[in-house]
Amino acid sequence: MHSRTYPTAQARLNASYLNLTLWTLQGWVAMFFIAAGYAKLTEPLSTLTALMNWPQHVPADLVRGVGLAEIVLAIMLLTPLISWKIGRPLLIVAAAGLLVLQTVMLGVHAVSGDIGHSIVNLALLAATAPVLWFRLREACPLR
């Protein structure tokens, strides 16, 4: 007879708390990037330049492209709400993509002297990294 071990009630409860925490982080990060991306797509460049230094140093299409990437990646963070099987790989790609984007933008903001935006990027990195780490561990558990 094959013996099977089942998780304890405490382990299931801890997994539920972790899942709730990750979904909360995913929601916050997604809301931030949908709003930030929307602003980059719709606001005049003069407004964006008044808020941040870097848009004045790059082509307008790059600013708009960053905004589009932010929205697409943010939506991909939430795709498991539709289908976990299809959405989980998209979620992992999105979290990795947002980490790369945030790291690059942290450097851009720091070089531009936007200290406040740099701090926001650090906070976003701190919120997105655990999402990638734990969702990747769920998808590829160590045996």
Side-chain angles (χ1 to χ4, degrees), residues 26 29-30 33 69-77 91-105 121 124-125 128:
Q26 285 168 237
V29 170
F33 279 106
E70 288 173 340
I71 291 172
V72 169
L73 292 170
I75 291 169
M76 287 172 59
L77 271 182
L91 157 65
I92 292 168
V93 169
L98 285 171
L99 283 174
V100 169
L101 180 64
Q102 292 165 34
T103 302
V104 169
M105 292 312 295
N121 276 115
L124 289 166
L125 284 165
T128 307

Side-chain angles (χ1 to χ4, degrees), residues 23-36:
W23 272 111
T24 301
L25 290 173
Q26 285 168 237
W28 286 344
V29 170
M31 284 189 307
F32 177 88
F33 279 106
I34 288 170

Side-chain angles (χ1 to χ4, degrees), residues 13 41 71 93 105 133 143:
L13 184 61
L41 286 175
I71 291 172
V93 169
M105 292 312 295
W133 174 258
R143 304 264 173 195

Side-chain angles (χ1 to χ4, degrees), residues 100-131:
V100 169
L101 180 64
Q102 292 165 34
T103 302
V104 169
M105 292 312 295
L106 173 61
V108 168
H109 288 307
V111 168
S112 297
D114 288 331
I115 302 305
H117 288 100
S118 298
I119 292 169
V120 169
N121 276 115
L122 287 172
L124 289 166
L125 284 165
T128 307
V131 170

